[in-house]
Amino acid sequence: VGALVREYGGTRVLIVYGGKSAVRSGVLDRAENSLAEAGISSWTLGGVVPNPHLDKVYEGICIGKENSIDFLLAVGGGSVIDTAKGVRMVISQNTDDIESLMGCEVLTAGRHIPFLAVPTTAGTGSEVTPVAVISNPQKQVKQEYLSAHLLPDAAILDLRMTMTLPPKVTASTGIDALCHAIESFTCLQKNPMSDAYAAGAIPLIMRYLPIAAAHPGNKEARMAMANASLMAGTSFGNSMVGLVH
């Protein structure tokens, strides 16, 4: 990540991650060390939960503004990547109210901080989708944001990032990818591009998800699931399944 961040001109990085597993697995240390070796300063935003909360996005915005962050690095699952998307959109639009940006293509060109996603699950495909979903516990709603400006500038798919996932998480995230592909393949606005990605993802998941869940260290299955998740996410993002999902 250090070399890639330097390539995009990043010097002050906010690393967004989830819970203790990122620490226990050594993923967070590896990211911080890679940045340090490249002479890049970094700050962390941890504690992102599934169905990420608005409060965590605002916490990241405060860290970003206080430290003149010029690059975002998300290391985690879809909730972590969506949280980083939320931080990015608010800072780029020079606003303090993320809820004013809800909906479809509200974001303007602005100055969008470069953004790198390193998924540690194979399910949401958030690293290739123009969508972020942020929960507002006070209003008891999930708020959806959709814009081409939400896409990460780059993503690293490394099978080692998913090899420590428990079987239950491997299974549930894999089923999420399968749902994306099936919904994209059957929705009203499907198209040849989304069909091609969905048709590629479905047999990969059918073949390799049981193997990945039963044998966490199987590298072939882990890489196949990472690719299938990306393909399903690409299909999902190009078929406009949207709130039906």
Side-chain angles (χ1 to χ4, degrees):
V1 297
L4 200 52
V5 171
R6 286 182 64 181
E7 184 180 322
Y8 279 93
T11 60
R12 303 172 69 82
V13 179
L14 177 60
I15 306 173
V16 185
Y17 68 98
K20 296 177 182 178
S21 61
V23 178
R24 285 196 305 267
S25 66
V27 170
L28 182 61
D29 281 343
R30 288 164 65 185
E32 290 181 310
N33 291 339
S34 182
L35 292 171
E37 288 168 5
I40 297 167
S41 302
S42 65
W43 289 258
T44 58
L45 174 68
V48 175
V49 298
N51 300 308
H53 291 179
L54 214 53
D55 290 347
K56 188 59 66 174
V57 175
Y58 281 121
E59 184 182 336
I61 292 164
C62 288
I63 296 172
K65 290 184 176 180
E66 288 173 3
N67 297 285
S68 302
I69 295 298
D70 61 11
F71 197 100
L72 283 164
L73 170 61
V75 182
S79 295
V80 169
I81 297 172
D82 280 7
T83 298
K85 288 178 178 179
V87 174
R88 184 193 203 193
M89 72 173 99
V90 171
I91 293 178
S92 71
Q93 300 302 293
N94 195 26
T95 179
D96 293 319
D97 181 16
I98 188 174
E99 293 183 85
S100 67
L101 303 173
M102 271 198 319
C104 183
E105 298 299 345
V106 176
L107 303 189
T108 58
R111 175 188 168 272
H112 292 275
I113 298 172
F115 175 24
L116 170 63
V118 183
T120 58
T121 63
T124 68
S126 187
E127 69 273 14
V128 290
T129 68
V131 180
V133 179
I134 311 292
S135 296
N136 185 329
Q138 285 74 35
K139 295 182 179 179
Q140 296 188 333
V141 295
K142 288 185 177 182
Q143 299 172 343
E144 188 175 69
Y145 303 83
L146 172 63
S147 171
H149 297 301
L150 288 178
L151 279 167
D153 294 281
I156 297 175
L157 267 68
D158 185 337
L159 63 89
R160 294 170 298 176
M161 298 296 99
T162 64
M163 289 178 71
T164 57
L165 287 177
K168 183 177 180 180
V169 179
T170 297
S172 61
T173 52
I175 292 297
D176 191 25
L178 181 62
C179 288
H180 287 167
I182 292 173
E183 289 172 348
S184 301
F185 199 67
T186 56
C187 75
L188 293 177
Q189 296 191 63
K190 68 177 195 161
N191 53 73
M193 179 180 175
S194 64
D195 274 358
Y197 278 105
I202 291 169
L204 277 178
I205 297 168
M206 290 173 64
R207 178 178 177 183
Y208 286 105
L209 179 55
I211 299 173
H215 306 284
N218 187 299
K219 293 181 179 180
E220 181 182 0
R222 289 296 187 183
M223 197 66 242
M225 284 304 302
N227 284 327
S229 173
L230 181 146
M231 292 163 68
T234 302
S235 180
F236 185 79
N238 285 278
S239 62
M240 300 304 291
V241 173
L243 290 173
V244 176
H245 171 69

